[in-house]
Amino acid sequence: MTDAFADRSLPDHRRAFEKIWWQNPERQNATSSSWWFFLLFPEGEEGYGPRQLMFSVAACVGDQSRVNDLPPGGMDADRSVTDGVDRFDATTVGWAGDEDVVHDHVVRQPAEAVLSREDQRLDAWAEGEDGTRRGSELTALSDDDSLGLRAHVVGDDAEAEFEAWGALDSKMTSPHTSLDVDTPLGGAEVVAWRQMEFEGEFDLPDGPETLSGSCYFQRVCFDVPLMPWKWIWAIFPDGTSFSVLVPFVGPHLFRRGYGFSSSNTLERLTIPLRQTGFWNWGSGEGQVEFDRITVEPLLGTGEHPDFDVRVENEAGDYVRFVAQTYGHARNWLDRPRLGGRVTSHWSYNEFMFRMAGLTGTVGGTPIDAESMGTGFGTLEYSTGLGL
């Protein structure tokens, strides 16, 4: 087991927090992309689910790049940034779903974004002819002993205004740099804030309401082509969390749109490039890490595939379950290349799921659905190549 950040000082937290308001323009190149996103799990009768919401601000280099087939825009990798103020084209997207229905693209608004390092603020608003605003803003909440985020998102079919904050007493509840790679050929930097609490007012297609629960936030900067990956974030009623990341290559690099191979065998024809995973106890008992991971789609289980998830490590810890999907949302990126003669395509699929058949042993403690309660999560299964 491992634990970290228990004695980290507030200045240490602030150094990671300040990276949220900067996307490393000095690193960016022709393949760069950035996004800031929230995954919200409102608290319900079964724990943190089955309702889920996602809001994101996404940007990519290229003057003719398209997100979700919206009008082309993009960032100039050689743009000037004055006094810590970065201006670039971005798109706000979002979805909201539960076991009955998924409202995909409740927000899909392109706008000029303004990222202020000093003000710790990201604005991406567009004003219509009638004076109405669509888009989003993200601002810092900060005082002498706490850090948090405030978000406001407005789309044609939804509005959300909420605050999220972390306890700053562990790696899960604190902002931290979870990935930082910088090479002459490109790199990536990710600031993760995995377990925050949120509360706010939401006016969704089903009507207005106040929601609160668990929040996952990331600021992601990639300066390499986007490739396929499988990523899971799941949370149990007591706050225990489970996550895996498996970037991979295979024929999925050439997939366009949303679809699957003709058989499980072909769909699973992948080569993992990196495998990481962890189980983090909500009781504060620490974290167990895994380095042998499979996340395999199960075709023919319904409108969307389920996924067989298995992780283990050399110490004998293991977790197994089926991610039974009950909703799907999709965003995608198209970039013209070679003067528009070809277009690269990257598809970002998110599946809402509940765990079924949970079994395992973590740190010597047996786990199952009876002991843990219902686990809900989001599973990303991206395909294509965002070159």
Side-chain angles (χ1 to χ4, degrees):
M1 286 191 178
T2 61
D3 198 2
F5 285 38
D7 57 354
R8 203 177 187 210
S9 67
L10 186 61
D12 289 333
H13 292 302
R14 287 190 184 278
R15 279 189 282 274
F17 184 74
E18 288 167 359
K19 292 184 178 182
I20 294 171
W21 318 104
W22 192 247
Q23 58 174 328
N24 303 325
E26 68 280 4
R27 294 190 188 185
Q28 291 180 333
N29 56 47
T31 66
S32 294
S33 56
S34 301
W35 59 97
W36 296 255
F37 78 89
F38 290 93
L39 273 175
L40 306 180
F41 293 81
E43 193 166 7
E45 294 181 0
E46 297 183 83
Y48 296 104
R51 297 187 67 181
Q52 298 182 33
L53 302 92
M54 187 282 291
F55 300 106
S56 178
V57 182
C60 59
V61 168
D63 59 2
Q64 292 297 311
S65 300
R66 291 178 181 268
V67 175
N68 296 357
D69 291 333
L70 291 168
M75 296 188 289
D76 181 355
D78 296 323
R79 68 193 180 281
S80 60
V81 179
T82 305
D83 296 328
V85 177
D86 192 357
R87 297 177 181 270
F88 53 95
D89 288 340
T91 304
T92 302
V93 296
W95 52 260
D98 57 24
E99 290 183 304
D100 297 321
V101 63
V102 175
H103 300 287
D104 201 358
H105 305 303
V106 292
V107 183
R108 53 193 306 267
Q109 181 61 60
E112 181 188 52
V114 181
L115 178 64
S116 175
R117 197 172 192 176
E118 181 177 352
D119 296 339
Q120 297 190 330
R121 183 181 184 92
L122 171 63
D123 288 284
W125 294 108
E127 187 170 310
E129 294 181 357
D130 59 355
T132 59
R133 290 197 312 168
R134 297 288 185 269
S136 62
E137 66 184 45
L138 173 64
T139 57
L141 296 174
S142 177
D143 55 31
D144 292 338
D145 57 5
S146 67
L147 296 171
L149 299 169
R150 178 185 289 117
H152 188 196
V153 183
V154 181
D156 290 335
D157 298 316
E159 180 171 3
E161 193 164 8
F162 60 92
E163 295 183 356
W165 57 95
L168 304 182
D169 59 0
S170 72
K171 191 174 183 177
M172 293 296 102
T173 61
S174 305
H176 70 284
T177 304
S178 61
L179 177 67
D180 189 3
V181 178
D182 185 17
T183 75
L185 298 177
E189 185 185 67
V190 178
V191 176
W193 205 339
R194 294 183 173 104
Q195 284 188 268
M196 308 175 75
E197 296 180 33
F198 83 89
E199 184 173 10
E201 303 301 319
F202 297 80
D203 191 355
L204 303 171
D206 295 329
E209 57 189 315
T210 300
L211 298 175
S212 61
S214 181
C215 168
Y216 185 109
F217 172 80
Q218 273 193 356
R219 184 281 260 146
V220 181
C221 296
F222 275 1
D223 302 309
V224 292
L226 293 170
M227 64 175 57
W229 66 61
K230 304 167 190 176
W231 178 75
I232 290 173
W233 177 257
I235 188 165
F236 292 90
D238 69 348
T240 294
S241 56
F242 171 81
S243 185
V244 302
L245 173 64
V246 185
F248 66 93
V249 294
H252 312 68
L253 284 168
F254 307 101
R255 183 171 296 171
R256 305 184 73 86
Y258 180 65
F260 301 93
S261 302
S262 58
S263 70
N264 281 318
T265 300
L266 291 174
E267 191 64 30
R268 297 176 181 182
L269 192 61
T270 63
I271 300 173
L273 301 180
R274 179 173 177 261
Q275 301 180 72
T276 60
F278 64 80
W279 176 284
N280 191 79
W281 292 102
S283 59
E285 297 175 37
Q287 181 171 301
V288 175
E289 298 182 351
F290 303 96
D291 55 7
R292 294 194 290 270
I293 300 166
T294 61
V295 180
E296 303 290 8
L298 301 169
L299 304 181
T301 57
E303 181 182 2
H304 307 292
D306 293 340
F307 293 84
D308 181 50
V309 181
R310 299 168 183 254
V311 303
E312 60 184 29
N313 61 27
E314 291 184 357
D317 301 299
Y318 74 96
V319 177
R320 297 172 185 166
F321 63 89
V322 171
Q324 290 187 331
T325 61
Y326 56 83
H328 167 255
R330 176 173 173 255
N331 294 302
W332 60 95
L333 168 64
D334 294 294
R335 272 192 177 119
R337 295 302 188 193
L338 301 178
R341 291 188 291 275
V342 297
T343 302
S344 70
H345 178 85
W346 184 73
S347 185
Y348 181 80
N349 298 289
E350 295 183 281
F351 298 92
M352 291 139 268
F353 72 86
R354 69 166 66 228
M355 291 185 180
L358 174 67
T359 184
T361 299
V362 182
T365 301
I367 59 167
D368 57 22
E370 184 175 353
S371 63
M372 296 302 305
T374 304
F376 290 95
T378 293
L379 188 153
E380 294 178 359
Y381 187 47
S382 61
T383 59
L385 181 64
L387 185 63

